[in-house]
Coordinates of all heavy atoms in Angstrom, one line a residue:
M1 N 0.8 -1.2 0.0 CA 0.0 0.0 0.0 C 0.9 1.2 0.0 O 1.7 1.5 0.9 CB -0.9 0.0 1.2 CG -1.6 1.3 1.5 SD -2.4 1.3 3.1 CE -4.1 1.1 2.4
P2 N 0.8 2.0 -1.0 CA 1.6 3.3 -1.1 C 1.1 4.3 -0.1 O 0.0 4.3 0.3 CB 1.5 3.7 -2.5 CG 0.2 3.2 -3.0 CD 0.0 1.9 -2.2
Y3 N 2.0 5.2 0.3 CA 1.6 6.3 1.1 C 2.5 7.5 1.0 O 3.6 7.4 0.5 CB 1.4 5.9 2.6 CG 2.6 5.3 3.2 CD1 3.6 6.1 3.9 CD2 2.8 3.9 3.2 CE1 4.7 5.6 4.5 CE2 3.9 3.4 3.8 CZ 4.9 4.2 4.5 OH 6.0 3.7 5.1
D4 N 2.0 8.6 1.4 CA 2.8 9.9 1.3 C 3.7 10.1 2.5 O 3.4 9.6 3.6 CB 1.8 11.1 1.2 CG 1.0 11.0 0.0 OD1 1.4 10.5 -1.0 OD2 -0.1 11.6 0.0
V5 N 4.8 10.7 2.3 CA 5.7 11.1 3.4 C 6.1 12.5 3.2 O 6.0 13.1 2.1 CB 7.0 10.2 3.3 CG1 6.7 8.7 3.6 CG2 7.7 10.3 2.0
T6 N 6.5 13.1 4.3 CA 7.0 14.5 4.3 C 8.3 14.5 5.1 O 8.3 14.0 6.3 CB 6.0 15.5 4.9 OG1 4.8 15.4 4.1 CG2 6.5 16.9 4.8
R7 N 9.3 15.0 4.6 CA 10.6 15.1 5.3 C 11.3 16.4 5.0 O 11.2 17.0 3.9 CB 11.6 14.0 4.7 CG 11.1 12.6 5.0 CD 11.3 12.2 6.5 NE 11.0 10.8 6.7 CZ 9.8 10.3 7.0 NH1 8.8 11.1 7.0 NH2 9.7 9.0 7.3
D8 N 12.0 16.9 6.0 CA 12.9 18.1 5.8 C 14.1 17.5 5.1 O 14.7 16.5 5.5 CB 13.3 18.7 7.1 CG 12.1 19.4 7.8 OD1 11.0 19.6 7.2 OD2 12.2 19.7 9.0
L9 N 14.6 18.2 4.0 CA 15.8 17.8 3.3 C 16.8 18.9 3.5 O 16.5 20.1 3.4 CB 15.5 17.6 1.9 CG 14.5 16.5 1.5 CD1 14.4 16.3 0.0 CD2 14.8 15.2 2.2
T10 N 18.1 18.5 3.7 CA 19.2 19.4 3.8 C 20.3 19.0 2.8 O 20.7 17.9 2.7 CB 19.8 19.4 5.2 OG1 18.8 19.7 6.2 CG2 21.0 20.4 5.3
A11 N 20.6 20.0 2.0 CA 21.7 19.8 1.0 C 22.7 20.9 1.2 O 22.5 22.1 0.8 CB 21.1 19.9 -0.4
G12 N 23.8 20.6 1.8 CA 24.8 21.6 2.2 C 24.1 22.6 3.1 O 23.5 22.3 4.1
S13 N 24.2 23.9 2.6 CA 23.6 25.0 3.4 C 22.1 25.2 3.1 O 21.5 26.0 3.7 CB 24.3 26.3 3.1 OG 24.2 26.6 1.7
L14 N 21.6 24.4 2.1 CA 20.2 24.6 1.7 C 19.3 23.7 2.6 O 19.5 22.5 2.7 CB 20.0 24.2 0.3 CG 18.6 24.3 -0.3 CD1 18.1 25.7 -0.4 CD2 18.7 23.7 -1.7
L15 N 18.3 24.3 3.2 CA 17.3 23.5 4.0 C 16.0 23.6 3.3 O 15.5 24.8 3.0 CB 17.2 24.0 5.4 CG 16.0 23.4 6.2 CD1 16.2 21.9 6.4 CD2 15.9 24.1 7.6
L16 N 15.4 22.5 2.9 CA 14.0 22.5 2.3 C 13.1 21.8 3.3 O 13.1 20.6 3.5 CB 14.1 21.7 1.0 CG 14.9 22.2 -0.1 CD1 15.1 21.2 -1.2 CD2 14.4 23.5 -0.6
P17 N 12.3 22.6 4.0 CA 11.4 22.0 5.0 C 10.1 21.4 4.3 O 9.6 21.9 3.3 CB 11.0 23.3 5.9 CG 11.1 24.4 5.0 CD 12.2 24.1 4.0
G18 N 9.7 20.3 4.9 CA 8.5 19.7 4.5 C 8.4 19.3 3.1 O 7.3 19.5 2.4
V19 N 9.4 18.6 2.6 CA 9.3 18.1 1.2 C 8.4 16.9 1.1 O 8.6 16.0 1.8 CB 10.7 17.8 0.6 CG1 10.7 17.2 -0.7 CG2 11.6 19.0 0.6
A20 N 7.4 17.0 0.2 CA 6.5 15.9 0.1 C 6.9 14.9 -0.9 O 7.6 15.2 -1.9 CB 5.1 16.5 -0.4
G21 N 6.6 13.7 -0.6 CA 7.0 12.6 -1.5 C 6.0 11.4 -1.3 O 5.1 11.5 -0.5
S22 N 6.2 10.4 -2.0 CA 5.5 9.1 -1.8 C 6.4 8.0 -2.0 O 7.4 8.0 -2.7 CB 4.3 9.1 -2.8 OG 4.7 9.0 -4.1
V23 N 6.0 6.9 -1.3 CA 6.8 5.7 -1.5 C 5.8 4.6 -1.8 O 4.7 4.6 -1.4 CB 7.6 5.3 -0.2 CG1 8.7 6.3 0.1 CG2 6.6 5.2 1.0
G24 N 6.3 3.7 -2.7 CA 5.5 2.5 -3.1 C 4.4 2.9 -4.1 O 3.4 2.1 -4.3
A25 N 4.6 4.0 -4.8 CA 3.5 4.4 -5.7 C 4.0 4.5 -7.2 O 3.2 4.3 -8.1 CB 2.9 5.7 -5.3
V26 N 5.2 4.9 -7.4 CA 5.7 5.2 -8.7 C 6.7 4.2 -9.2 O 7.8 4.1 -8.7 CB 6.3 6.6 -8.8 CG1 6.8 7.0 -10.2 CG2 5.4 7.7 -8.3
Y27 N 6.2 3.3 -10.1 CA 7.1 2.3 -10.6 C 7.1 2.3 -12.1 O 6.4 1.7 -12.8 CB 6.6 0.9 -10.1 CG 6.8 0.7 -8.6 CD1 5.7 0.9 -7.8 CD2 8.0 0.3 -8.1 CE1 5.9 0.7 -6.4 CE2 8.2 0.1 -6.8 CZ 7.1 0.3 -5.9 OH 7.3 0.1 -4.6
S28 N 8.1 3.1 -12.6 CA 8.3 3.2 -14.1 C 8.9 1.9 -14.6 O 9.6 1.2 -13.8 CB 9.2 4.4 -14.4 OG 9.7 4.3 -15.7
K29 N 8.8 1.6 -15.8 CA 9.5 0.4 -16.4 C 10.9 0.7 -16.7 O 11.7 -0.1 -17.0 CB 8.8 -0.1 -17.7 CG 8.8 0.9 -18.8 CD 8.1 0.4 -20.0 CE 8.2 1.4 -21.1 NZ 7.6 0.9 -22.4
H30 N 11.3 2.0 -16.5 CA 12.7 2.4 -16.7 C 13.4 2.6 -15.4 O 12.8 2.9 -14.3 CB 12.7 3.8 -17.5 CG 11.9 3.7 -18.8 ND1 12.4 3.1 -19.9 CD2 10.7 4.2 -19.1 CE1 11.5 3.2 -20.9 NE2 10.5 3.8 -20.4
R31 N 14.7 2.5 -15.3 CA 15.5 2.8 -14.2 C 15.2 1.9 -13.0 O 15.3 2.3 -11.8 CB 15.5 4.3 -13.8 CG 16.1 5.2 -14.8 CD 15.7 6.6 -14.6 NE 14.3 6.9 -14.8 CZ 13.6 6.9 -16.0 NH1 14.3 6.8 -17.1 NH2 12.3 7.2 -16.0
T32 N 14.8 0.7 -13.2 CA 14.4 -0.2 -12.2 C 15.6 -0.6 -11.3 O 15.3 -1.1 -10.1 CB 13.7 -1.5 -12.7 OG1 14.7 -2.2 -13.6 CG2 12.5 -1.2 -13.5
D33 N 16.8 -0.4 -11.7 CA 18.0 -0.8 -11.0 C 18.6 0.4 -10.2 O 19.6 0.2 -9.6 CB 19.0 -1.4 -11.9 CG 19.5 -0.5 -13.0 OD1 18.7 0.5 -13.3 OD2 20.6 -0.6 -13.5
R34 N 17.9 1.5 -10.3 CA 18.4 2.7 -9.7 C 17.9 3.0 -8.3 O 16.7 2.6 -8.0 CB 18.1 4.0 -10.5 CG 18.6 3.9 -12.0 CD 20.0 3.9 -12.1 NE 20.5 5.2 -11.6 CZ 21.8 5.4 -11.3 NH1 22.7 4.5 -11.5 NH2 22.1 6.6 -10.8
P35 N 18.7 3.5 -7.4 CA 18.2 3.9 -6.0 C 17.0 4.8 -6.2 O 17.0 5.7 -7.0 CB 19.4 4.6 -5.4 CG 20.6 4.2 -6.1 CD 20.1 3.9 -7.5
G36 N 16.0 4.6 -5.4 CA 14.8 5.5 -5.4 C 13.7 4.9 -6.2 O 12.6 5.5 -6.2
W37 N 13.9 3.9 -6.9 CA 12.8 3.3 -7.8 C 11.7 3.0 -6.9 O 11.8 2.3 -5.9 CB 13.3 2.1 -8.5 CG 12.3 1.5 -9.5 CD1 12.0 2.1 -10.7 CD2 11.6 0.3 -9.3 NE1 11.0 1.3 -11.3 CE2 10.7 0.2 -10.5 CE3 11.5 -0.6 -8.4 CZ2 9.9 -0.9 -10.7 CZ3 10.6 -1.7 -8.5 CH2 9.8 -1.8 -9.7
G38 N 10.5 3.5 -7.2 CA 9.3 3.2 -6.4 C 8.9 4.4 -5.5 O 8.0 4.4 -4.7
A39 N 9.7 5.5 -5.6 CA 9.4 6.7 -4.9 C 9.3 7.9 -5.8 O 9.7 7.9 -6.9 CB 10.6 7.0 -3.9
A40 N 8.6 9.0 -5.3 CA 8.5 10.2 -6.0 C 8.7 11.4 -5.0 O 8.4 11.2 -3.8 CB 7.0 10.3 -6.6
V41 N 9.2 12.5 -5.6 CA 9.5 13.7 -4.8 C 8.9 14.8 -5.5 O 8.9 14.9 -6.7 CB 11.0 13.9 -4.6 CG1 11.3 15.2 -3.8 CG2 11.7 12.7 -3.9
E42 N 8.3 15.8 -4.7 CA 7.7 16.9 -5.4 C 8.6 17.7 -6.3 O 9.8 17.9 -5.9 CB 7.1 17.9 -4.3 CG 8.2 18.4 -3.4 CD 7.7 19.6 -2.5 OE1 7.5 20.7 -3.1 OE2 7.5 19.4 -1.3
L43 N 8.2 18.0 -7.4 CA 9.0 18.7 -8.4 C 9.5 20.1 -8.0 O 10.7 20.4 -8.2 CB 8.2 18.8 -9.7 CG 9.0 19.4 -10.9 CD1 10.3 18.5 -11.2 CD2 8.1 19.4 -12.2
P44 N 8.8 20.9 -7.3 CA 9.3 22.2 -6.9 C 10.6 22.1 -6.0 O 11.5 22.8 -6.1 CB 8.2 22.9 -6.1 CG 6.9 22.3 -6.7 CD 7.3 20.8 -7.0
A45 N 10.6 21.1 -5.1 CA 11.8 20.8 -4.3 C 13.0 20.4 -5.2 O 14.1 20.9 -5.0 CB 11.5 19.8 -3.2
V46 N 12.7 19.5 -6.1 CA 13.8 19.1 -7.0 C 14.3 20.3 -7.8 O 15.6 20.5 -8.0 CB 13.3 18.0 -8.0 CG1 14.4 17.6 -9.0 CG2 12.9 16.7 -7.2
L47 N 13.4 21.1 -8.3 CA 13.9 22.3 -9.1 C 14.7 23.3 -8.2 O 15.6 23.9 -8.7 CB 12.7 23.0 -9.7 CG 12.0 22.2 -10.8 CD1 10.7 22.9 -11.3 CD2 12.9 21.9 -12.0
E48 N 14.3 23.4 -7.0 CA 15.0 24.3 -6.1 C 16.4 23.8 -5.8 O 17.4 24.5 -5.8 CB 14.3 24.4 -4.7 CG 14.8 25.5 -3.8 CD 13.9 25.8 -2.7 OE1 12.7 25.5 -2.7 OE2 14.5 26.4 -1.7
I49 N 16.5 22.5 -5.7 CA 17.9 21.8 -5.5 C 18.7 22.0 -6.8 O 19.9 22.4 -6.7 CB 17.7 20.4 -5.1 CG1 17.2 20.2 -3.7 CG2 19.0 19.6 -5.3 CD1 16.9 18.8 -3.2
L50 N 18.1 21.8 -7.9 CA 18.9 22.1 -9.2 C 19.3 23.5 -9.3 O 20.4 23.8 -9.8 CB 18.0 21.6 -10.4 CG 17.8 20.1 -10.5 CD1 16.8 19.9 -11.6 CD2 19.1 19.4 -10.7
A51 N 18.5 24.4 -8.9 CA 18.8 25.9 -9.0 C 20.0 26.2 -8.1 O 20.9 27.0 -8.4 CB 17.6 26.7 -8.7
A52 N 20.0 25.5 -6.9 CA 21.1 25.8 -5.9 C 22.4 25.2 -6.5 O 23.5 25.8 -6.3 CB 20.7 25.1 -4.6
I53 N 22.3 24.1 -7.2 CA 23.5 23.5 -7.8 C 24.0 24.5 -8.9 O 25.2 24.8 -8.9 CB 23.3 22.1 -8.4 CG1 22.9 21.1 -7.3 CG2 24.5 21.7 -9.3 CD1 22.4 19.8 -7.9
A54 N 23.1 25.0 -9.7 CA 23.5 25.9 -10.8 C 24.1 27.2 -10.3 O 25.0 27.7 -10.9 CB 22.3 26.2 -11.7
A55 N 23.6 27.6 -9.1 CA 24.1 28.8 -8.5 C 25.4 28.6 -7.8 O 26.0 29.6 -7.3 CB 23.1 29.4 -7.6
G56 N 25.9 27.4 -7.6 CA 27.1 27.1 -6.9 C 26.9 27.1 -5.4 O 27.8 27.1 -4.6
Q57 N 25.6 27.1 -4.9 CA 25.3 27.1 -3.5 C 25.6 25.8 -2.9 O 26.0 25.7 -1.7 CB 23.9 27.5 -3.3 CG 23.5 27.7 -1.9 CD 22.0 28.1 -1.7 OE1 21.3 28.3 -2.7 NE2 21.5 28.1 -0.5
I58 N 25.3 24.7 -3.6 CA 25.6 23.3 -3.2 C 26.2 22.5 -4.3 O 26.1 23.0 -5.5 CB 24.3 22.7 -2.7 CG1 23.3 22.5 -3.8 CG2 23.7 23.4 -1.5 CD1 22.1 21.6 -3.5
T59 N 26.7 21.4 -3.9 CA 27.3 20.5 -5.0 C 26.3 19.4 -5.3 O 25.3 19.2 -4.6 CB 28.6 19.8 -4.4 OG1 28.2 18.9 -3.4 CG2 29.6 20.8 -4.0
A60 N 26.5 18.8 -6.5 CA 25.7 17.7 -6.9 C 25.7 16.6 -5.8 O 24.7 15.9 -5.6 CB 26.1 17.2 -8.2
A61 N 26.8 16.3 -5.2 CA 27.0 15.3 -4.2 C 26.1 15.6 -3.0 O 25.5 14.8 -2.4 CB 28.4 15.1 -3.8
Q62 N 26.1 16.9 -2.6 CA 25.3 17.3 -1.5 C 23.8 17.2 -1.8 O 23.0 16.8 -1.0 CB 25.6 18.8 -1.1 CG 26.9 19.0 -0.5 CD 27.3 20.4 -0.3 OE1 27.1 21.2 -1.2 NE2 27.8 20.8 0.9
A63 N 23.4 17.5 -3.1 CA 22.0 17.3 -3.5 C 21.6 15.8 -3.4 O 20.5 15.5 -2.9 CB 21.9 17.8 -4.9
E64 N 22.5 15.0 -3.9 CA 22.2 13.5 -3.8 C 22.0 13.1 -2.4 O 21.1 12.3 -2.1 CB 23.3 12.7 -4.5 CG 23.0 11.3 -4.6 CD 24.0 10.5 -5.4 OE1 24.9 11.1 -6.1 OE2 23.9 9.3 -5.4
T65 N 22.9 13.5 -1.5 CA 22.8 13.1 -0.1 C 21.5 13.6 0.5 O 21.0 13.0 1.5 CB 24.0 13.7 0.7 OG1 25.2 13.1 0.0 CG2 24.0 13.3 2.1
A66 N 21.0 14.8 0.1 CA 19.8 15.3 0.6 C 18.6 14.4 0.6 O 17.7 14.4 1.4 CB 19.4 16.6 -0.1
F67 N 18.6 13.5 -0.4 CA 17.5 12.6 -0.6 C 17.6 11.4 0.3 O 16.7 10.5 0.3 CB 17.3 12.2 -2.0 CG 16.9 13.3 -2.9 CD1 17.8 13.9 -3.8 CD2 15.6 13.9 -2.9 CE1 17.5 15.0 -4.6 CE2 15.3 14.9 -3.7 CZ 16.2 15.5 -4.5
A68 N 18.6 11.2 1.1 CA 18.8 10.1 2.0 C 17.6 9.8 2.9 O 17.2 8.6 3.0 CB 20.1 10.2 2.8
P69 N 17.0 10.8 3.5 CA 15.8 10.4 4.3 C 14.7 9.8 3.6 O 14.0 8.9 4.1 CB 15.3 11.8 4.9 CG 16.6 12.7 4.8 CD 17.3 12.2 3.6
L70 N 14.4 10.2 2.3 CA 13.4 9.6 1.5 C 13.8 8.2 1.1 O 13.0 7.3 1.0 CB 13.0 10.5 0.3 CG 12.4 11.8 0.7 CD1 12.2 12.7 -0.5 CD2 11.0 11.6 1.4
L71 N 15.1 8.0 0.7 CA 15.6 6.7 0.3 C 15.5 5.7 1.5 O 15.1 4.6 1.3 CB 17.0 6.8 -0.2 CG 17.2 7.4 -1.6 CD1 18.7 7.7 -1.8 CD2 16.6 6.6 -2.6
A72 N 15.8 6.2 2.7 CA 15.7 5.3 3.9 C 14.3 4.9 4.1 O 14.0 3.7 4.4 CB 16.3 6.0 5.1
R73 N 13.3 5.8 3.9 CA 11.9 5.5 4.1 C 11.5 4.5 3.1 O 10.7 3.6 3.4 CB 11.1 6.7 4.1 CG 9.6 6.4 4.4 CD 9.5 5.9 5.8 NE 8.2 5.2 6.0 CZ 8.0 3.9 6.0 NH1 9.0 3.1 5.9 NH2 6.8 3.4 6.2
L74 N 12.0 4.6 1.8 CA 11.6 3.7 0.8 C 12.2 2.3 1.1 O 11.5 1.3 0.9 CB 12.2 4.2 -0.6 CG 11.9 3.3 -1.8 CD1 10.4 3.1 -2.0 CD2 12.6 3.8 -3.0
E75 N 13.4 2.2 1.6 CA 13.9 0.9 2.0 C 13.1 0.3 3.1 O 12.9 -0.9 3.1 CB 15.4 1.1 2.4 CG 16.3 1.4 1.2 CD 17.7 1.8 1.7 OE1 18.0 1.7 2.9 OE2 18.5 2.2 0.8
E76 N 12.7 1.1 4.1 CA 11.9 0.6 5.2 C 10.6 0.1 4.6 O 10.1 -1.0 5.0 CB 11.7 1.7 6.2 CG 10.9 1.3 7.4 CD 10.7 2.4 8.4 OE1 11.6 3.3 8.4 OE2 9.7 2.4 9.1
F77 N 10.0 0.8 3.7 CA 8.7 0.5 3.1 C 8.8 -0.9 2.4 O 8.0 -1.8 2.5 CB 8.3 1.6 2.1 CG 7.1 1.2 1.3 CD1 5.8 1.3 1.8 CD2 7.2 0.7 0.0 CE1 4.7 1.0 1.0 CE2 6.1 0.3 -0.8 CZ 4.9 0.5 -0.3
D78 N 9.9 -1.0 1.6 CA 10.2 -2.3 0.9 C 10.3 -3.5 1.8 O 9.7 -4.5 1.5 CB 11.4 -2.2 0.0 CG 11.2 -1.3 -1.2 OD1 10.1 -1.0 -1.6 OD2 12.3 -0.9 -1.8
R79 N 11.0 -3.3 2.9 CA 11.1 -4.4 3.9 C 9.7 -4.7 4.5 O 9.3 -5.9 4.7 CB 12.0 -4.0 5.0 CG 13.5 -4.0 4.6 CD 14.4 -3.9 5.8 NE 14.2 -2.7 6.6 CZ 14.8 -1.5 6.4 NH1 15.6 -1.4 5.3 NH2 14.6 -0.5 7.1
E80 N 8.9 -3.7 4.8 CA 7.5 -3.9 5.3 C 6.7 -4.7 4.3 O 6.0 -5.6 4.7 CB 6.8 -2.6 5.6 CG 7.4 -1.8 6.8 CD 6.8 -0.4 6.9 OE1 5.9 0.0 6.1 OE2 7.3 0.4 7.7
M81 N 6.8 -4.3 3.0 CA 6.0 -5.0 2.0 C 6.5 -6.5 1.8 O 5.7 -7.4 1.6 CB 6.1 -4.3 0.7 CG 5.4 -2.9 0.7 SD 3.6 -3.0 1.2 CE 3.6 -2.5 2.9
D82 N 7.8 -6.7 2.0 CA 8.3 -8.1 1.9 C 7.8 -8.9 3.0 O 7.4 -10.1 2.8 CB 9.8 -8.1 1.9 CG 10.5 -7.6 0.6 OD1 9.8 -7.4 -0.4 OD2 11.7 -7.3 0.7
R83 N 7.7 -8.3 4.2 CA 7.1 -9.0 5.4 C 5.7 -9.4 5.1 O 5.2 -10.4 5.4 CB 7.3 -8.2 6.7 CG 8.7 -8.3 7.3 CD 8.8 -7.8 8.7 NE 8.4 -6.4 8.8 CZ 9.3 -5.4 8.6 NH1 10.5 -5.6 8.3 NH2 8.8 -4.1 8.7
C84 N 4.9 -8.4 4.6 CA 3.5 -8.6 4.3 C 3.3 -9.7 3.3 O 2.5 -10.6 3.4 CB 2.8 -7.3 3.8 SG 2.6 -6.1 5.1
Q85 N 4.1 -9.7 2.2 CA 4.0 -10.7 1.2 C 4.4 -12.1 1.8 O 3.7 -13.0 1.4 CB 5.0 -10.4 0.1 CG 4.9 -11.4 -1.1 CD 3.6 -11.4 -1.8 OE1 2.9 -10.5 -1.9 NE2 3.2 -12.6 -2.2
A86 N 5.4 -12.2 2.6 CA 5.7 -13.4 3.2 C 4.6 -14.0 4.0 O 4.4 -15.2 4.1 CB 7.0 -13.3 4.0
H87 N 3.9 -13.1 4.7 CA 2.8 -13.5 5.5 C 1.7 -14.2 4.7 O 1.0 -15.1 5.2 CB 2.2 -12.3 6.3 CG 1.0 -12.6 7.1 ND1 1.1 -13.2 8.3 CD2 -0.3 -12.4 6.9 CE1 -0.1 -13.4 8.9 NE2 -1.0 -12.9 8.0
F88 N 1.5 -13.8 3.5 CA 0.4 -14.3 2.6 C 0.9 -15.3 1.6 O 0.2 -15.7 0.7 CB -0.3 -13.2 1.9 CG -1.1 -12.3 2.9 CD1 -0.7 -11.1 3.3 CD2 -2.3 -12.8 3.5 CE1 -1.4 -10.3 4.2 CE2 -3.0 -12.0 4.4 CZ -2.5 -10.8 4.7
D89 N 2.2 -15.6 1.6 CA 2.8 -16.6 0.6 C 2.5 -18.0 1.1 O 3.1 -18.5 2.1 CB 4.3 -16.3 0.5 CG 4.9 -17.1 -0.6 OD1 4.2 -17.8 -1.3 OD2 6.1 -17.0 -0.8
Y90 N 1.6 -18.6 0.4 CA 1.2 -20.0 0.8 C 1.8 -21.0 -0.1 O 1.3 -22.2 -0.1 CB -0.4 -20.1 0.7 CG -1.0 -19.1 1.7 CD1 -1.7 -18.0 1.2 CD2 -1.0 -19.3 3.1 CE1 -2.3 -17.1 2.1 CE2 -1.6 -18.5 4.0 CZ -2.3 -17.4 3.5 OH -2.9 -16.5 4.3
S91 N 2.8 -20.7 -0.8 CA 3.4 -21.8 -1.7 C 4.2 -22.8 -1.0 O 4.5 -22.8 0.1 CB 4.2 -21.1 -2.8 OG 5.2 -20.2 -2.3

């Protein structure tokens, strides 16, 4: 069951409070092997991070690290779903 999450994200000196996202909802047929597959993040926050990179305020590495709280929640979600699936696996 997908659900929404809200996390404050920090990228270097940039703080983005209350960034909205979802886990377990967005599963494109592309990039299935990439971290974050199955999650979505609000576009305005992503654009703000990109603008901060372009302005030299933060680095790309800092931007990538900023998404760690959402990635951690996605990993936790995946473990929860694996446990639920195992509960109903009658094979």
Side-chain angles (χ1 to χ4, degrees):
M1 165 186 258
Y3 57 90
D4 295 332
V5 295
T6 303
R7 296 285 187 271
D8 294 346
L9 300 185
T10 302
S13 61
L14 178 66
L15 171 62
L16 297 170
V19 174
S22 64
V23 294
V26 180
Y27 289 99
S28 167
K29 65 180 179 176
H30 306 285
R31 294 165 296 284
T32 59
D33 60 336
R34 304 292 300 165
W37 185 74
V41 178
E42 63 167 285
L43 186 56
V46 173
L47 293 175
E48 191 170 340
I49 287 173
L50 290 173
I53 294 169
Q57 183 182 358
I58 63 171
T59 66
Q62 289 171 318
E64 185 175 350
T65 301
F67 292 106
L70 293 172
L71 288 171
R73 185 62 196 104
L74 179 61
E75 290 170 6
E76 184 180 332
F77 172 83
D78 287 343
R79 286 191 302 274
E80 290 170 6
M81 292 303 101
D82 287 346
R83 281 192 299 273
C84 287
Q85 180 62 33
H87 178 76
F88 293 104
D89 188 3
Y90 298 107
S91 54

